[in-house]
Amino acid sequence: MLIKKICCIGAGYVGGPTMAVFAHNCPDIKITVLDLNKEKIAQWNDNDLRKLPVFEPGLEEIIRNRRGVNLFFSTELEKEIAVADMIFISVNTPTKTKGIGAGKASNLKWIEASARQIAKYSRGETIVIEKSTLPVKTAETIKKILNAANLGNKNCKKFSVISNPEFLSEGTAINDLQSPDRVLIGGDNDEAIDALSKIYARWINPEKILKTNLWSAELSKLTANAFLAQRISSINSISALCEVTGANVKEVAKAIGMDNRIGSKFINAGPGFGGSCFKKDILNLVYLCNFYNLHQVAEYWEKVIDINYWQQTRISNLVVKNLFGTIDSKKIGILGFSFKADTNDTRESPAIQICKDLMNEGAHLSIYDPKVNKEQVILDLKGYTNSSLNCELEKGTFEICSSVEMASISSDALIILTEWQEFKKINWINISSIMRKPSWVFDTRNILEVDETKNLDINFWSLGNNN
Ligand code: NAD
Ligand code: UGA
C-alpha cells in the first residue's frame, strides 16, 4: 500500500515532535497534525517559533524547515481524516478521576472520540495506528467502533488497526525519534505492518523494527515504563539509606551500574519521578492486574509509586528539619519546576508536591524555571496564593522569578528540583552574598560538585549523602 498522506490526531508532546520527525525523513509524504484545541494549533502555526506549545531541543529547526512544505497543523479533522491513508491516534490517556477504576484505570474517552471521528470521516482503506499508551485490549474497542461505521454502509470503508507505542522521552524527543533503540509494531494485518515499517525503514535500521502481536505491543509499552520507574524508586529508596549510613548514592549507583546486567542508566537518585506517564502507566498496570485477579502483582507494582511519593515528602520534611524545624514566613527559592531538564512540561513534576508541602508549612516560595511559563506554575499551584510575602496568611505564598538571583535574594534556602544546565554553573559566591544567613542549598538532583561548594558561607545538602 502506497502511503501518500498521513494524519495524526493529537498535537501534543508526542504527536507534534513525532510527526515533525516523520516529515523530516519523508519529504514526499504530506503529514497533517490535528487537534481540537484551536489555541494549540495556532501556537504550532505561529511564525515566532519560540511560541511552539512544546519545547524540545532540535524541534524548532525541523518545524522551520518542514512546516508548510510537507508538515501541516490543522483543526480540520473532517477534511484531513477523509484523505489520509494512515492515521495515528496520539491523544491523551490520563488516569480516570471518576467512576469505575477511578484513580487507576486510563480514561479512554479521547481514544474513543478519535475512533468515532475516523469511523465517520474516513474514506476507502485506512490504516489506524495506536500511538497513545493504552491498556491491553484497547485495539479491540477501536476495531469495534471502526467496523460499526460500515453497518448499513455497503462495506465501503476498510480499516486495519495496529499498535505502535512511542518510547520517546521528553527533553530528548527528537534524538529518540531519529535514532530509537527500537520501533515496536504490533498487529495481525501484514500489509498494514509492512506499510508502517517501510516508512520507519527510511531512517531506522530495519533490524531495530520489532514486529509482535497486538497485545504484546500494548503490554510492552506499559511494562517498559514500569521497569524504568522501578529503577528510579529502587535507587531513591537506597538514597535514604545512604544518608543515614554514610554511603554516597552516586558512588553506589556507579558501582552497581558498571555491572552489565544492571546497567548505568536510570539509576540517578532524585526528588522522585515526574512526567505525565510513569505514574499513570503503572496505575494502569495495577488496575489491569487487579482486573485479572493478580492482586500480588498489583501490590508489587503499586510500591513503586508509594516510594516515589515518600521520596517527595521526605525531601520537604528534611528541608523543614534543617531550617530549625520551622519554615513559617521564611523565603525559600525553588530552582526548577519542570519534571526534568530540557522540557517545559510540568505534568506530575515532583516540584508541585514539594512546593505545596512547603507552603502548607507557611513558607514563601520564589520559583524560577528557565522554560516553564508563569501561567503554568499558577495553574499547578491552584489553591495557593500568588503574592508577595504576607506573614498574616495561614498558608505560605509563592511568586514567580525571572532569574536564579531573583529567587535567591534574602532567601533562607534554595532547593534545586530540576537538573537544568544553568544551575550547574551558578556562581555560589555571588548567591551566598545575597541570601539570608544561615543559608542552605538543597541539591535534590546531585548536580553540584563537592569542590565548588566547599569553604562557602552556605550549608549544602545533597541527596543520598551523609550531609
Ligand atoms: P498531550 O496531552 O500533550 O496531547 C494530546 C493532544 O490530543 C491534546 O492536545 C488534545 O487536545 C488532543 N486531543 C484529545 N482528543 C482529541 C480528539 N478527539 N481529536 C483531536 N485532538 C484531540 O499528550 P501527550 O503527552 O502527547 O501523550 C499522548 C499519548 O502518548 C498518551 O497516551 C501518552 O501516555 C503517550 N506517550 C507520551 C509520552 C510523553 O513523553 N509525553 C511518551 C510516550 C507516550
Ligand atoms: C518516560 C520514558 O523514559 C519514555 O521511554 C516513555 O516513552 C515516556 O516516559 C512516556 O511513556 O511518556 P519521560 O517521562 O519523558 O519519558 O522522561 P524520563 O527521562 O523517563 O524521566 C521521567 C522522570 O524520571 C523525570 O522526573 C526524571 O527526572 C526522573 N528520573 C529519570 C530520575 O529521577 N532518575 C533517572 O535516573 C532517570
Side-chain angles (χ1 to χ4, degrees), residues 190-302:
D190 291 343
E191 213 188 329
I193 293 176
D194 217 42
L196 181 59
S197 54
K198 272 191 184 140
I199 293 178
Y200 276 115
R202 292 177 183 217
W203 74 98
I204 294 160
N205 180 345
E207 283 176 12
K208 289 190 170 179
I209 303 174
L210 212 68
K211 295 166 190 171
T212 66
N213 78 34
L214 255 175
W215 321 127
S216 302
E218 288 180 342
L219 186 57
S220 300
K221 173 63 197 174
L222 293 183
T223 309
N225 274 357
F227 269 56
L228 290 168
Q230 181 201 42
R231 285 171 69 89
I232 302 168
S233 279
S234 298
I235 198 69
N236 283 345
S237 70
I238 297 299
S239 72
L241 192 57
C242 287
E243 286 162 26
V244 291
T245 56
N248 173 319
V249 76
K250 262 184 158 175
E251 290 176 356
V252 173
K254 189 170 180 188
I256 62 164
M258 283 174 81
D259 184 330
N260 268 332
R261 295 168 303 174
I262 297 175
S264 60
K265 293 182 181 159
F266 266 74
I267 46 173
N268 291 322
F273 56 76
S276 60
C277 295
F278 279 172
K279 183 171 155 200
K280 121 176 130 60
D281 292 349
I282 296 178
L283 286 171
N284 192 349
L285 197 64
V286 167
Y287 180 75
L288 277 173
C289 293
N290 278 326
F291 181 81
Y292 289 107
N293 283 321
L294 298 168
H295 303 298
Q296 285 83 350
V297 185
E299 276 170 30
Y300 172 76
W301 286 108
E302 210 157 10

Side-chain angles (χ1 to χ4, degrees), residues 60 68 105 181 210 253 349 400 414 451 458:
E60 271 186 35
D181 287 347
L210 212 68
S349 176
I400 316 288
L414 290 174
D451 285 350
I458 300 183

Side-chain angles (χ1 to χ4, degrees), residues 151-202:
L151 296 175
N153 206 3
K154 292 192 204 124
N155 259 7
C156 57
K157 302 186 185 195
K158 273 203 181 127
F159 302 103
S160 33
V161 179
I162 56 180
S163 163
N164 172 222
E166 185 47 62
F167 295 101
L168 69 81
S169 295
E170 291 178 30
T172 53
I174 301 302
N175 195 41
D176 295 343
L177 288 161
Q178 191 61 33
S179 323
D181 287 347
R182 76 321 205 168
V183 165
L184 181 55
I185 306 177
D188 45 23
N189 182 320
D190 291 343
E191 213 188 329
I193 293 176
D194 217 42
L196 181 59
S197 54
K198 272 191 184 140
I199 293 178
Y200 276 115
R202 292 177 183 217

Side-chain angles (χ1 to χ4, degrees), residues 279-378:
K279 183 171 155 200
K280 121 176 130 60
D281 292 349
I282 296 178
L283 286 171
N284 192 349
L285 197 64
V286 167
Y287 180 75
L288 277 173
C289 293
N290 278 326
F291 181 81
Y292 289 107
N293 283 321
L294 298 168
H295 303 298
Q296 285 83 350
V297 185
E299 276 170 30
Y300 172 76
W301 286 108
E302 210 157 10
K303 279 281 164 239
V304 172
I305 297 177
D306 291 350
I307 288 286
N308 199 51
Y309 179 69
W310 172 77
Q311 181 79 339
Q312 294 172 14
T313 359
R314 197 171 82 74
I315 288 172
S316 327
N317 288 346
L318 66 87
V319 170
V320 177
K321 188 175 144 231
N322 279 302
L323 295 183
F324 310 115
T326 174
I327 52 172
D328 198 349
S329 305
K330 288 184 181 166
K331 184 180 170 189
I332 298 183
I334 300 292
L335 302 187
F337 201 78
S338 59
F339 79 97
K340 62 183 282 196
D342 291 329
T343 177
N344 59 344
D345 195 349
T346 63
R347 290 177 292 180
E348 295 294 335
S349 176
I352 299 173
Q353 187 56 46
I354 293 173
C355 285
K356 287 181 178 175
D357 285 348
L358 298 175
M359 284 192 282
N360 286 341
E361 291 284 335
H364 172 66
L365 307 180
S366 33
I367 302 171
Y368 168 66
D369 187 286
K371 286 289 172 202
V372 176
N373 65 42
K374 190 175 171 175
E375 293 70 29
Q376 187 59 49
V377 179
I378 293 171

